[in-house]
Amino acid sequence: MNAIIEASRSREELGRDLAAIFLADPATFDPSGLRRLGQAGLRSFAIAVGVSVPNFQSPSGAAQEQIASRDAADWKLQESRIVPFEIVGSIHGALAGLAAIVAISLLSWLFG
């Protein structure tokens, strides 16, 4: 949770820095830098530029717990899911083993 808070603060600071650059020289400002700001950074950018922004409502504790439990459930589903490449790999391994057995049998019959 601390990492999320730090990332949000970092984006807010970056938003203020980009706003200062924009206010200093709007003609050379590159708006593509705004893409990485996220909601918190865009909000701080808009406030620093002087645009009124409605208040952001953070999710309540119950909503955050629900999001966390849903994320944990999604992770559990991914842990137990058999990935198709495992099945294909098993089939290819079995075929390679059978081919090796057939090749060794043929060679031993020819030279035996």
Side-chain angles (χ1 to χ4, degrees):
M1 191 68 164
N2 287 335
I4 294 171
I5 294 170
E6 287 298 317
S8 179
R9 287 181 186 156
S10 186
R11 287 187 185 109
E12 287 174 0
E13 183 179 342
L14 182 59
R16 287 189 296 273
D17 292 344
L18 287 175
I21 294 170
F22 174 74
L23 292 173
D25 191 11
T28 61
F29 179 73
D30 182 18
S32 65
L34 298 174
R35 290 184 189 151
R36 64 180 180 265
L37 290 180
Q39 188 173 12
L42 286 174
R43 179 177 168 74
S44 68
F45 177 84
I47 290 171
V49 171
V51 177
S52 80
V53 180
N55 287 335
F56 170 69
Q57 299 291 330
S58 65
S60 66
Q64 287 177 344
E65 288 176 17
Q66 183 180 12
I67 290 169
S69 66
R70 185 175 55 221
D71 289 344
D74 288 344
W75 178 251
K76 274 296 192 193
L77 286 174
Q78 288 185 5
E79 273 185 325
S80 62
R81 187 181 316 157
I82 295 178
V83 189
F85 72 82
E86 293 174 341
I87 296 170
V88 172
S90 298
I91 291 171
H92 284 149
L95 290 175
L98 287 174
I101 291 171
V102 168
I104 291 171
S105 297
L106 284 174
L107 288 174
S108 66
W109 177 72
L110 286 173
F111 296 114

